[in-house]
Amino acid sequence: MMKATMANSYEGTSLTRGDSKTLGLVISQDKMLGSLVESMTDRFPDASVGVLCATKLVSFTNWPESGDAAADFGDTELETLVDHFKPVLEASGIHVERIPDQWTVLKVLIYQEPQSLEKISWCHVNRSHQHSCPDLLALVDLVLSFPASTAKCERGCSTMKHR
């Protein structure tokens, strides 16, 4: 995004060049993008505390290839999810204190799998490792149950308004 500075330039390039329309366009874009960010923050308040971002750990495409990065992958995100969903998990009989250790165990088990990360699914992981990581997999199931969007609900409400 191009931002106007006090000197009306961006990375050393003048934004006015004698034409006030250029600067006006930049200011309009800044206002529009600022409004967009504000709307997204209002619409997805959990994103500001990291819950939405933390759900990336359930997508194997976000997992690093085995190595040093894999050892600590997802630890912070897992802590965010456990903190956020702790009341729900405990009410369901999940032992939240066991989840971090089960996360470490599960990462080791997954990286020992003969197939690549792209070919692993959570259905396979649940079948294979339910006995060793039940509390963690309950959290993963909870995260995977989030709808990708509310578009279907919104279309239904819109349709009801038109009738």
Side-chain angles (χ1 to χ4, degrees):
M1 180 177 83
M2 215 169 22
K3 285 203 176 241
T5 63
M6 295 305 270
N8 295 332
S9 66
Y10 176 75
E11 295 185 6
T13 303
S14 173
L15 297 177
T16 57
R17 295 211 187 246
D19 183 5
S20 61
K21 291 180 185 177
T22 306
L23 182 58
L25 177 63
V26 170
I27 292 170
S28 294
Q29 287 174 340
D30 282 347
K31 285 181 183 177
M32 189 260 318
L33 291 173
S35 294
L36 178 63
V37 169
E38 185 178 327
S39 295
M40 294 290 286
T41 303
D42 290 344
R43 172 77 185 217
F44 303 105
D46 284 345
S48 64
V49 294
V51 174
L52 205 56
C53 184
T55 62
K56 75 177 187 177
L57 65 83
V58 299
S59 174
F60 289 116
T61 58
N62 292 323
W63 285 44
E65 292 300 319
S66 59
D68 292 336
D72 294 329
F73 170 73
D75 294 348
T76 305
E77 291 83 1
L78 181 73
E79 184 178 340
T80 300
L81 292 172
V82 169
D83 287 347
H84 184 77
F85 292 112
K86 188 174 184 174
V88 173
L89 294 168
E90 288 178 337
S92 300
I94 304 303
H95 301 281
V96 294
E97 69 280 356
R98 296 179 186 168
I99 292 176
D101 290 336
Q102 291 179 10
W103 175 245
T104 302
V105 168
L106 185 67
K107 287 189 292 186
V108 169
L109 293 171
I110 286 177
Y111 282 114
Q112 289 175 350
E113 296 268 338
Q115 67 235 27
S116 66
L117 286 171
E118 297 105 25
K119 296 186 180 186
I120 295 177
S121 71
W122 282 108
C123 289
H124 166 74
V125 172
N126 265 314
R127 279 193 305 273
S128 302
H129 307 297
Q130 180 62 41
H131 62 282
S132 58
C133 307
D135 302 300
L136 169 66
L137 291 173
L139 173 62
V140 169
D141 286 344
L142 175 63
V143 171
L144 289 173
S145 70
F146 290 170
S149 76
T150 60
K152 198 172 198 177
C153 297
E154 291 173 16
R155 279 194 301 272
C157 291
S158 179
T159 300
M160 289 188 319
K161 280 198 289 188
H162 292 296
R163 291 186 177 188

